[in-house]
Amino acid sequence: QLTMSLNSSTLLNEENPQGSKRNTQCLESLELQTPSSFQDNPLQQLQLASQEVLEKAKKSGRSKCPRCSSSRMFYCYTCFVPVETVPTKEIPTVKLPLKIDIIKHPNETDGKSTAVHAKLLAPDDVTIYKYPCIPEYEEKRHEIALIFPGPNSISVKDIAFHLQKYTKKGVYDNDDDCSREPFLKQAKIEPKEEKNLNECISSNKSEGTRLKKIIFIDSTWNQTNKIITDERLQGLLQIELKTRKTCFWRHQKGKPDTYLSTIEAIYYFLVDYHQEILKEKYKGQYDNLLFFFSFMYTLIKNAKCCAGKE
């Protein structure tokens, strides 16, 4: 899916302190147990930073957000920062190969969204917008794509091929000085300057097939139509992730298991992009994007086991 969201309150009961206390007691009784159902945990092979800081925060319970002072567990989903019991220096930072914009539906509950994970773990490369306050993308459409499953969507490996159509139309990065006016109108230049100009032109053409930003929509499937039909997103290349199955515990009833939560979609896209487009062997570079997700997955699995639901 495009964007289902993490509901830490499912387990931790953000709105129900009594439920939170019961769940905490239940989890503490299971700390030394490893249910057999966890043997096939699809997140077990991730190369993650130590989650000891989250274990400690879980034991100490809810804490204050250092910015708004709201009571939260692990992080503040409105300020996009860890709570006081989770030192920022103990949270891993992930560097991404391109920029990510997340467009969040206004009715998507903040406390249930996994989009915040991306902002917490890759703060320099991720921006979250609340619809309808989103950027204008038209002038940059030759270097931007949108993750969305639909009839016109392509796979990650076909990105470069499909972006070429924008290059053929002569659409280049307007921020580049050497492409701001038609080359035929350039003043007469010396051979040395001509060489530099040709290098710049060549660079522009190669950049024309290079993705620089990817957009994700953070909403339930039923909320998506309002965003995807927005005129500011029309004409963008659409990419679908068809081969991954979600581990999300709030999977939407009646939807395929290939509909991923927001953070899963970001992670799997980057893994595919690294291998298919950058042509590099994947060695776990983006695994820490699932730092919070994998921890919550295990907590909820444990809680369900404790409650006799599995």
Side-chain angles (χ1 to χ4, degrees):
Q1 154 169 357
L2 287 325
T3 51
M4 301 200 209
S5 359
L6 167 63
N7 183 11
S8 55
S9 60
T10 299
L11 172 64
L12 301 168
N13 284 307
E14 293 269 346
E15 311 299 331
N16 186 348
Q18 291 183 343
S20 178
K21 183 177 180 180
R22 285 196 301 272
N23 281 327
T24 299
Q25 292 172 342
C26 173
L27 289 170
E28 287 175 350
S29 70
L30 282 169
E31 281 182 351
L32 300 179
Q33 299 180 33
T34 306
S36 58
S37 60
F38 288 7
Q39 299 300 322
D40 59 351
N41 180 350
L43 304 177
Q44 279 182 340
Q45 304 303 315
L46 295 173
Q47 299 178 43
L48 299 173
S50 171
Q51 294 175 320
E52 183 179 357
V53 62
L54 300 182
E55 289 286 356
K56 291 179 179 178
K58 182 192 73 175
K59 292 178 181 178
S60 61
R62 298 159 70 93
S63 180
K64 284 186 178 182
C65 168
R67 293 187 183 175
C68 68
S69 297
S70 296
S71 177
R72 300 280 190 256
M73 181 64 79
F74 304 130
Y75 55 81
C76 180
Y77 44 75
T78 51
C79 299
F80 309 142
V81 294
V83 294
E84 293 177 348
T85 55
V86 181
T88 302
K89 64 181 181 181
E90 295 187 41
I91 299 299
T93 301
V94 184
K95 180 62 182 174
L96 308 184
L98 37 64
K99 299 297 182 182
I100 288 178
D101 282 0
I102 300 174
I103 300 175
K104 191 172 179 295
H105 193 281
N107 294 337
E108 181 70 0
T109 305
D110 290 338
K112 297 180 179 180
S113 175
T114 61
V116 63
H117 295 186
K119 183 62 178 175
L120 284 163
L121 298 164
D124 295 337
D125 297 317
V126 175
T127 305
I128 298 178
Y129 298 94
K130 181 168 285 190
Y131 188 82
C133 300
I134 66 174
E136 297 285 347
Y137 293 109
E138 180 159 352
E139 291 185 2
K140 300 285 186 178
R141 66 174 56 182
H142 59 292
E143 57 190 34
I144 299 175
L146 170 68
I147 298 294
F148 185 78
N152 298 319
S153 298
I154 65 167
S155 62
V156 173
K157 64 182 177 64
D158 294 325
I159 290 175
F161 174 78
H162 285 273
L163 283 178
Q164 286 178 0
K165 65 182 180 181
Y166 298 110
T167 305
K168 291 176 181 178
K169 293 178 181 178
V171 181
Y172 297 113
D173 189 344
N174 291 329
D175 291 336
D176 230 320
D177 288 339
C178 65
S179 63
R180 284 184 177 174
E181 67 175 300
F183 300 122
L184 294 177
K185 293 183 180 180
Q186 296 276 354
K188 185 176 180 181
I189 51 182
E190 297 301 319
K192 183 178 180 180
E193 293 175 330
E194 184 176 6
K195 180 180 178 181
N196 292 336
L197 178 60
N198 288 336
E199 289 176 353
C200 189
I201 296 171
S202 176
S203 173
N204 275 341
K205 289 183 177 179
S206 64
E207 288 292 309
T209 57
R210 181 181 173 188
L211 194 62
K212 292 185 178 179
K213 180 176 288 186
I214 193 77
I215 302 169
F216 293 83
I217 299 175
D218 188 44
S219 73
T220 62
W221 178 256
N222 292 333
Q223 294 171 337
T224 301
N225 189 59
K226 183 177 181 180
I227 297 177
I228 198 61
T229 55
D230 189 289
E231 61 180 8
R232 290 167 291 183
L233 299 180
Q234 302 311 301
L236 291 176
L237 186 64
Q238 293 183 4
I239 301 169
E240 184 171 5
L241 306 174
K242 303 177 181 179
T243 62
R244 315 288 189 171
K245 292 185 179 181
T246 185
C247 292
F248 195 42
W249 46 94
R250 287 179 58 83
H251 183 67
Q252 294 183 38
K253 187 176 181 180
K255 301 301 179 185
D257 58 5
T258 52
Y259 281 13
L260 307 170
S261 66
T262 303
I263 195 62
E264 286 178 300
I266 292 172
Y267 169 73
Y268 286 125
F269 167 79
L270 288 171
V271 172
D272 289 346
Y273 181 83
H274 192 85
Q275 298 175 110
E276 299 285 354
I277 304 301
L278 301 183
K279 302 297 183 182
E280 297 178 16
K281 184 176 181 180
Y282 184 68
K283 299 179 179 179
Q285 292 90 332
Y286 314 120
D287 284 9
N288 274 321
L289 286 174
L290 298 179
F291 181 76
F292 291 104
F293 184 88
S294 63
F295 188 79
M296 294 301 301
Y297 175 88
T298 300
L299 285 184
I300 291 172
K301 276 286 198 178
N302 273 314
K304 287 183 177 180
C305 181
C306 177
K309 294 182 179 180
E310 288 190 355

